Amino acid sequence: MFEARLIQGSVLKKMIDAIKDIVTDINLDCSSTGISVQAMDSGHVCLVLIELGSDGFEPYRCDRNITLGLGLKALSVVVRCANNDDSITIKAQEGTDNINFVFESPNGEKTSQFEIKLMDIDSEHLGIPDTEYDSVVKMPSHEFQRICRDMSQLGDSIVVACTKDGIQFSASGDMGSGKINLRQSSLVDKEEDQINIELNDPVHLTFALRYLNYFTKATPLSPTVTLSLKAESPLCVTYPIGDFGSMKFFLAPKIDD
Amino acid sequence: KGTQASLMSFFGK
């Protein structure tokens, strides 16, 4: 038996909105410690990794490790039927080919039940190496979203450069070019507005903006985002989910010809 | 500009 109740059902809605343009099917890997999802886009350029600890759910019950394959289209349709303040319970019995969703309003007056057929999804699990990044930049998530959106008006690629002076985003195309510099903030009122730059080594990488703009669909999940960069390595974009999980996107760089 | 790399060349199975 698997059962997990998320008090803030809106978090599940936001997670699905964040990944539905990148992947079509996902496997929920459920174990006693929580739920994880690893999915790659069809072009093998980016990967989504969701990790949700069991402590984010009340109750959480997972008698035996179970993999639940879901089509995101069906999941998206069902989850959209929940109100933002509903709790969402996911239930699956061993040996059945259905997954159940129960939505409950905060006062308990309205409950809704939906069922989705499980799918057998053949997905390759990649081993993501532990990486010591050259630079780790934490910034407001809406700021990152804005930068990606603005830069994609100029070109298809963005160059991200971290130096002791800060982080620079630049793009160029037929129309012209643009550069945006961010420096570590000194004094801010709210911690979530802070720009924090950890620099071990200067790093300079190019990425396709199309994917970054997909990733920023996760902005409603968290006020902050972390960019982890290493020379000639995939970028890791992390959105924390409450204090019990995270959504990470890995993006392979563009390599000079 | 630049060639898009595949993630498979960085992450092992």
Side-chain angles (χ1 to χ4, degrees):
Chain A
M1 172 77 181
F2 173 75
E3 183 175 349
R5 178 166 170 265
L6 194 57
I7 308 278
Q8 260 190 298
S10 58
V11 172
L12 184 62
K13 282 180 145 185
K14 290 175 188 169
M15 284 193 278
I16 293 162
D17 280 340
I19 61 169
K20 67 179 163 49
D21 294 329
I22 304 174
V23 290
T24 52
D25 312 307
I26 53 169
N27 274 328
L28 298 185
D29 292 315
C30 311
S31 71
S32 57
T33 56
I35 304 173
S36 72
V37 174
Q38 191 193 103
M40 232 192 319
D41 79 306
S42 57
H44 295 176
V45 172
C46 68
L47 180 139
V48 184
L49 180 67
I50 304 173
E51 286 173 314
L52 303 169
S54 59
D55 52 351
F57 301 89
E58 182 55 47
Y60 185 88
R61 180 180 164 193
C62 184
D63 298 340
R64 196 179 296 177
N65 290 1
I66 183 171
T67 296
L68 306 168
L70 290 166
L72 274 185
K73 206 165 191 177
L75 189 56
S76 183
V77 166
V78 164
V79 167
R80 240 180 279 154
C81 300
N83 284 318
N84 276 336
D85 54 358
D86 283 355
S87 70
I88 297 182
T89 304
I90 306 170
K91 282 185 200 176
Q93 297 273 8
E94 268 175 76
T96 62
D97 54 1
N98 289 312
I99 180 169
N100 287 289
F101 291 85
V102 181
F103 310 147
E104 278 174 281
S105 65
N107 58 17
E109 280 174 2
K110 182 180 174 188
T111 58
S112 324
Q113 247 181 301
F114 293 85
E115 204 174 77
I116 303 179
K117 283 204 181 76
L118 289 173
M119 297 166 68
D120 205 3
I121 297 162
D122 195 19
S123 77
E124 296 162 283
H125 249 77
L126 293 184
I128 302 166
D130 279 334
T131 305
E132 266 195 48
Y133 287 100
D134 293 332
S135 184
V136 178
V137 179
K138 188 177 166 194
M139 68 167 84
S141 57
H142 64 87
E143 185 71 76
F144 180 58
Q145 183 177 40
R146 179 73 203 264
I147 291 169
C148 293
R149 196 186 70 198
D150 291 350
M151 288 286 131
S152 56
Q153 305 298 313
L154 289 166
D156 298 336
S157 301
I158 190 167
V159 177
V160 184
C162 294
T163 63
K164 62 176 175 38
D165 297 323
I167 181 166
Q168 184 181 76
F169 301 90
S170 56
S172 60
D174 298 340
M175 204 170 73
S177 64
K179 280 180 196 168
I180 299 170
N181 284 291
L182 296 178
R183 280 195 301 174
Q184 167 122 350
S185 8
S186 39
L187 273 176
V188 285
D189 290 342
K190 285 189 277 178
E191 204 203 318
E192 61 197 51
D193 292 333
Q194 173 99 28
I195 296 167
N196 188 61
I197 302 174
E198 270 173 49
L199 184 77
N200 297 321
D201 267 311
V203 60
H204 184 279
L205 286 157
T206 306
F207 299 102
L209 275 163
R210 182 158 75 102
Y211 296 95
L212 294 178
N213 279 315
Y214 289 148
F215 302 168
T216 61
K217 300 260 165 75
T219 303
L221 277 173
S222 165
T224 62
V225 64
T226 302
L227 313 181
S228 304
L229 299 126
K230 184 179 167 67
E232 292 170 34
S233 300
L235 164 74
C236 175
V237 181
T238 307
Y239 292 88
I241 299 174
D243 56 2
F244 67 99
S246 65
M247 180 175 276
K248 289 184 181 175
F249 298 95
F250 294 89
L251 175 60
K254 285 183 139 188
I255 309 278
D256 287 339
D257 294 316
Chain B
K1 102 194 144 176
T3 306
Q4 178 63 59
S6 163
L7 259 193
M8 311 289 266
S9 53
F10 299 98
F11 294 170
K13 276 183 211 172

